[in-house]
């Protein structure tokens, strides 16, 4: 597990002149699959996944892998006003934290939405009101998890482990719609969201 995808990370980071280690802050509402995403990325049950209404992450937890990548898993929002206020403060503090050189500690914010949910309000508000005002939009990746569940679990090709053409088309539409909605709400342009299924790795 410790050397999982190490060669890929090393090559991409050197090719693109990325800082080492790369520090990524995962943000999203409770239940969007932040912990599942970490586990899918590294092919191992590293982050404990919460099920049902009980979130697993209550504070920002750090996961460091092979010296090239650190993931900071923030607490999910949507569990009550008081908890959300504290979690939002923790996220802003992490985004604004500087290292000795004066550069930001966090290199990328990875904002996860849930494809299977019609209500993306909590994460969308977090993105618009908390993330984008505190980090350059070029350093934000918006990701749509649970792509396999967008059509209630149908049209996911289990043999090839990817969406079929009908689902792929719908995912593309959703990604473009989210990108436009962010632009209309903030005046900022983020890259077109990526989509994936952490459950299917």
């Amino acid at each position: 597990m410790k050397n999982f995808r190490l060669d890929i990370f090393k090559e991409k980071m050197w090719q693109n002149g990325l800082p080492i280690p790369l520090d990524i802050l995962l943000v999203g509402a409770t239940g969007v699959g932040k912990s599942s995403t970490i586990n899918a990325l590294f092919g191992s049950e590293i982050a404990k996944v919460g099920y049902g209404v009980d979130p697993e992450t209550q504070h920002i937890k750090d996961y460091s892998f092979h010296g090239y990548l650190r993931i900071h898993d923030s607490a999910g929002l949507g569990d009550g006003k008081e908890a959300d206020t504290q979690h939002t403060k923790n996220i802003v503090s992490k985004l604004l934290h500087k290292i000795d050189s004066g550069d930001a500690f966090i290199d990328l914010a990875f904002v996860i939405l849930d494809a299977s949910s019609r209500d993306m309000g909590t994460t969308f508000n977090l993105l618009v009101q908390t993330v984008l005002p505190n980090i350059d939009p070029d350093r934000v990746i918006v990701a749509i998890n649970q792509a396999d569940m967008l059509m209630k679990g149908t049209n996911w090709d289990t043999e090839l482990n990817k969406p079929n053409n009908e689902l792929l088309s719908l995912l593309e539409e959703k990604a473009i719609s989210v990108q436009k909605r962010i632009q209309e709400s903030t005046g900022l342009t983020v890259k077109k969201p990526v989509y994936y299924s952490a459950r299917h790795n």
Side-chain angles (χ1 to χ4, degrees):
M1 181 278 299
K2 234 177 180 182
N3 294 317
F4 188 70
R5 295 184 179 168
L6 174 58
D7 292 338
I8 296 169
F9 278 105
K10 282 167 81 170
E11 182 185 342
K12 293 292 181 191
M13 291 175 83
W14 286 109
Q15 280 177 355
N16 294 291
L18 296 172
I20 297 170
L22 188 69
D23 284 287
I24 301 176
L25 179 64
L26 262 59
V27 295
T30 295
V32 297
K34 295 186 302 299
S35 298
S36 299
T37 296
I38 292 170
N39 293 337
L41 278 171
F42 293 97
S44 184
E45 204 63 30
I46 294 164
K48 195 170 174 195
V49 177
Y51 295 98
V53 294
D54 296 323
E56 185 55 41
T57 307
Q58 292 298 318
H59 306 283
I60 294 176
K61 290 183 180 178
D62 300 336
Y63 300 91
S64 188
F65 306 98
H66 49 57
Y68 283 82
L69 180 66
R70 278 190 301 227
I71 294 183
H72 309 272
D73 184 12
S74 67
L77 272 73
D79 295 321
K81 195 172 181 180
E82 194 176 314
D84 284 359
T85 299
Q86 186 56 54
H87 297 333
T88 300
K89 283 181 185 173
N90 292 342
I91 290 167
V92 170
S93 175
K94 201 76 159 175
L95 288 171
L96 295 179
H97 181 72
K98 305 273 188 211
I99 57 175
D100 291 341
S101 67
D103 292 328
F105 175 69
I106 294 297
D107 299 301
L108 290 171
F110 192 87
V111 182
I112 303 176
L113 301 168
D114 177 359
S116 66
S117 172
R118 289 188 178 274
D119 176 25
M120 294 190 190
T122 300
T123 301
F124 190 79
N125 290 338
L126 172 66
L127 173 65
V128 169
Q129 296 167 10
T130 303
V131 176
L132 287 171
N134 294 295
I135 189 171
D136 189 294
D138 285 343
R139 292 170 40 220
V140 175
I141 297 171
V142 179
I144 303 169
N145 187 17
Q146 301 180 37
D148 56 309
M149 297 306 293
L150 181 58
M151 298 180 80
K152 299 186 178 172
T154 62
N155 296 307
W156 184 269
D157 188 327
T158 51
E159 235 176 78
L160 297 174
N161 199 26
K162 66 179 192 176
N164 69 11
N165 289 337
E166 187 178 350
L167 179 54
L168 189 61
S169 176
L170 194 57
L171 286 163
E172 278 292 315
E173 283 176 30
K174 191 168 192 89
I176 291 165
S177 170
V178 168
Q179 185 185 36
K180 283 182 182 172
R181 193 172 155 199
I182 292 166
Q183 209 275 331
E184 288 166 3
S185 300
T186 65
L188 301 171
T189 302
V190 297
K191 293 175 188 73
K192 186 179 79 173
V194 297
Y195 40 83
Y196 66 100
S197 169
R199 187 172 70 146
H200 290 287
N201 293 313

